[in-house]
Amino acid sequence: MFESLSKNLEKAIKSLKGQGRITEINIASTIKEIRRSLVQADVHYKVAKQVTDAIKQQAIGTNVITSVSPGQLFTKLVQDALTDLMGGLQAEVRLTGHPAIILLAGLQGAGKTTLAAKLAHYYQKKNKIPLLVACDVYRPAAADQLAKLGAGLSISVYTEPEEKNPHTIAKNAIQEAKNKGIDLVIIDTAGRLSIDEKMMQEICMLKQALKPAETLFVVDAMAGQDAVTTAQAFNEQLNFDGVVLTKLDGDARGGAALSIRSVVAKPIKFISTGEKMQDLDLFHPDRMASRILGMGDVISFVERAEQVYNVEQQRKLHQKIKSNQFNLEDLAKQIEQIKKMGNLKEMVSMLPGLGNALQDIPLNDDLFKNCQVIIASMTPKERRNPDIIDRSRRERIAQGSGKTTQEVNQLLKQFDMIAKMMKKVHKDGFNMLANIPRLLKKTR
Ligand SMILES: Nc1nc2c(ncn2[C@@H]2O[C@H](COP(=O)(O)OP(=O)(O)O)[C@@H](O)[C@H]2O)c(=O)[nH]1
Ligand SMILES: [Mg+2]
């Protein structure tokens, strides 16, 4: 996420390293570089100037604390300035009403339908009973898309293929929700390729009629300043409650995330970082600022991990590691769990320092595919006692999995390292996840 912005900011701040203290003269070029980095990331130049002026004021006004180097101090100042720019505190998502209603708005392709399903999945895990409602009446495929996503998650989807009035569909869906004791209704709507009077009227009418707890404007972060302009246009008419930025896993430069709040005066509430249903996080300005500055976001990482790891599994795993019983069966289970956590590249980038270190490795589920097919070709006995896998067994496993003996050897070597490392860090269950990609790199 925002790789080049991160790199440029880090470079700008690095130039202060070795300076004994902050003076107006020695920060001048750093400030200029920071401003340039922001503008390059598609932040509006006025916003960029505001931010860097604030940083400069702060820097000069800060009494030099001897234990903090100018580089460290500056990192902190930039982090605070970016956090403020993005709204400071995390904005609340208020799900009031019975059922609570979330209405999604945005242009076509922004990611509304995908988001509807992701939100349903997100709140289902928080013990809500969601209902997805297909109100995109212009594209028949849209209702099918939603139905498919809902089926994959075992979440009910309300559709009325014959009905052409989105208000009628929504009203009927809400009635059904009431009858069935459903507590969250998520309404997916139609978007157009560009801002359009009719679309705007329709979505405004829906908002007025349904009085949703949350009206969320969904926008593709890759659109940069255009995303900000579109948000402004929607907000003027619709007065939405919050923004959801999608496709932050793509090559978005950061402009939308950094400027939307200050330009539109509405908070970003969620961010979407991939096509998997898990790739959705609440938006925390401070965590985002920390990621932008290359410091990772361990808290969000742990939150994702907590969604797939339950306490009982954790306890069993720790027990096994402690008693040297971690085996290939466990490794296969771990891989499944990691995959469930979501977009691997995004997950890794949440861990401080790891994102850069793994830049040249294609981080996707394929990375684990070899491991999985090789383990699948082993007998249960072999999986539980990797020590018995001798040369002839290795050859058989290679043949069975369609891999080379070398690849089988490599997997066993990786397993060995992972098992050792896990023993070392077993007190902290999540460190293990953090280290797996690094180990995979080492043994390549
Ligand atoms: N990479 C990536 N793709 C996404 C994300 N959100 C949605 N998409 C994809 O973007 C395309 C359009 O999404 P869709 O939900 O149909 O947009 P809608 O027209 O607003 O309903 C689909 O191919 C989605 O899979 C995201 O966060 N990351
Ligand atoms: Mg759609």
Side-chain angles (χ1 to χ4, degrees):
M1 198 188 286
F2 312 153
E3 278 101 355
S4 65
L5 172 62
S6 290
K7 240 187 258 161
N8 290 338
L9 286 177
E10 278 176 65
K11 209 166 93 200
I13 296 172
K14 223 182 201 158
S15 67
L16 272 179
K17 284 217 173 110
Q19 300 281 355
R21 60 193 211 89
I22 283 179
T23 65
E24 199 157 348
I25 297 162
N26 67 17
I27 62 167
S29 73
T30 301
I31 291 283
K32 214 164 110 191
E33 279 308 310
I34 292 176
R35 186 175 308 168
R36 201 203 316 250
S37 314
L38 292 172
V39 171
Q40 263 179 17
D42 210 11
V43 173
H44 195 280
Y45 76 92
K46 272 190 195 157
V47 177
K49 183 164 184 319
Q50 257 171 33
V51 173
T52 44
D53 284 351
I55 296 171
K56 189 171 156 190
Q57 286 279 313
Q58 283 274 333
I60 295 169
T62 305
N63 289 328
V64 183
I65 309 162
T66 43
S67 62
V68 178
S69 75
Q72 283 168 332
L73 177 62
F74 230 76
T75 306
K76 174 81 176 90
L77 292 178
V78 176
Q79 190 187 8
D80 289 350
L82 295 184
T83 305
D84 285 347
L85 180 63
M86 291 184 283
L89 293 172
Q90 187 227 321
E92 203 190 340
V93 185
R94 293 178 321 119
L95 295 185
T96 48
H98 302 284
I101 298 168
I102 299 180
L103 177 66
L104 302 181
L107 295 181
Q108 190 174 318
K112 292 180 299 299
T113 305
T114 315
L115 177 74
K118 283 182 180 177
L119 284 171
H121 180 56
Y122 180 88
Y123 284 110
Q124 192 183 38
K125 280 183 296 187
K126 297 194 179 306
N127 297 323
K128 296 241 177 238
I129 308 170
L131 175 68
L132 287 162
V133 184
C135 279
D136 182 346
V137 291
Y138 304 103
R139 293 188 314 132
D144 296 344
Q145 185 191 356
L146 195 65
K148 213 185 244 165
L149 289 169
L153 298 164
S154 310
I155 289 170
S156 320
V157 179
Y158 187 90
T159 57
E160 278 188 51
E162 302 307 322
E163 179 55 58
K164 291 294 168 219
N165 182 347
H167 181 209
T168 310
I169 301 176
K171 238 176 32 196
N172 294 344
I174 292 164
Q175 191 52 50
E176 174 159 307
K178 282 181 182 159
N179 296 343
K180 291 190 172 164
I182 281 168
D183 39 28
L184 176 62
V185 171
I186 300 168
I187 299 176
D188 181 29
T189 63
R192 304 287 166 91
L193 286 174
S194 58
I195 293 163
D196 171 288
E197 200 47 45
K198 188 156 177 266
M199 164 188 73
M200 215 50 111
Q201 275 173 5
E202 185 177 295
I203 189 80
C204 289
M205 181 275 292
L206 275 174
K207 182 181 175 221
Q208 244 170 19
L210 307 176
K211 308 213 167 19
E214 287 279 352
T215 302
L216 298 176
F217 169 70
V218 186
V219 68
D220 179 344
M222 287 197 280
Q225 278 307 303
D226 279 350
V228 180
T229 319
T230 314
Q232 261 177 314
F234 268 84
N235 193 45
E236 274 163 21
Q237 306 224 13
L238 186 63
N239 188 24
F240 54 70
D241 301 303
V243 178
V244 180
L245 279 184
T246 63
K247 308 189 195 180
L248 281 170
D249 52 315
D251 48 12
R253 286 177 290 168
L258 286 166
S259 356
I260 250 177
R261 173 64 196 244
S262 78
V263 177
V264 187
K266 289 287 164 72
I268 300 172
K269 296 205 168 175
F270 286 99
I271 51 173
S272 158
T273 51
E275 297 187 74
K276 286 189 184 174
M277 288 296 110
Q278 296 83 355
D279 295 325
L280 180 74
D281 292 285
L282 279 175
F283 180 72
H284 296 268
D286 52 342
R287 298 186 196 174
M288 179 59 82
S290 144
R291 275 181 83 163
I292 290 174
L293 288 169
M295 297 184 287
D297 178 4
V298 179
I299 308 175
S300 295
F301 182 87
V302 172
E303 280 176 1
R304 285 274 192 110
E306 280 170 351
Q307 291 178 8
V308 297
Y309 282 83
N310 64 40
V311 178
E312 182 54 23
Q313 279 173 326
Q314 279 289 358
R315 198 190 56 76
K316 273 194 193 145
L317 183 65
H318 282 191
Q319 206 53 46
K320 281 200 145 172
I321 296 169
K322 227 159 101 186
S323 53
N324 267 336
Q325 285 175 344
F326 183 77
N327 60 36
L328 284 158
E329 227 165 46
D330 303 313
L331 179 64
K333 272 190 214 147
Q334 289 299 307
I335 290 175
E336 270 315 307
Q337 298 289 58
I338 293 173
K339 281 167 69 177
K340 271 197 214 148
M341 280 171 67
N343 181 329
L344 193 58
K345 186 154 184 249
E346 284 307 314
M347 300 308 305
V348 166
S349 79
M350 288 183 190
L351 301 167
L354 220 60
N356 279 346
L358 292 177
Q359 243 170 11
D360 348 312
I361 297 187
L363 284 171
N364 51 42
D365 290 349
D366 287 348
L367 189 64
F368 295 128
K369 227 186 229 149
N370 266 5
C371 304
Q372 290 182 300
V373 293
I374 293 172
I375 295 175
S377 293
M378 296 174 180
T379 63
K381 197 169 156 202
E382 287 165 346
R383 284 181 216 138
R384 282 177 211 141
N385 314 285
D387 289 344
I388 65 166
I389 307 181
D390 56 13
R391 200 197 175 98
S392 73
R393 283 179 189 264
R394 283 173 203 224
E395 274 164 18
R396 194 210 76 237
I397 294 165
Q399 266 190 347
S401 59
K403 299 284 162 194
T404 62
T405 352
Q406 211 179 0
E407 283 168 314
V408 176
N409 288 339
Q410 193 189 344
L411 169 82
L412 290 168
K413 213 158 80 188
Q414 285 171 348
F415 167 75
D416 235 29
M417 291 181 69
I418 290 171
K420 272 194 201 119
M421 185 262 308
M422 286 186 30
K423 189 158 170 60
K424 230 166 53 196
V425 297
H426 88 268
K427 282 198 201 87
D428 181 348
F430 296 115
N431 277 356
M432 156 197 90
L433 295 171
N435 278 303
I436 285 176
R438 198 159 69 218
L439 287 168
L440 288 174
K441 186 178 187 185
K442 251 191 205 160
T443 50
R444 268 175 171 231

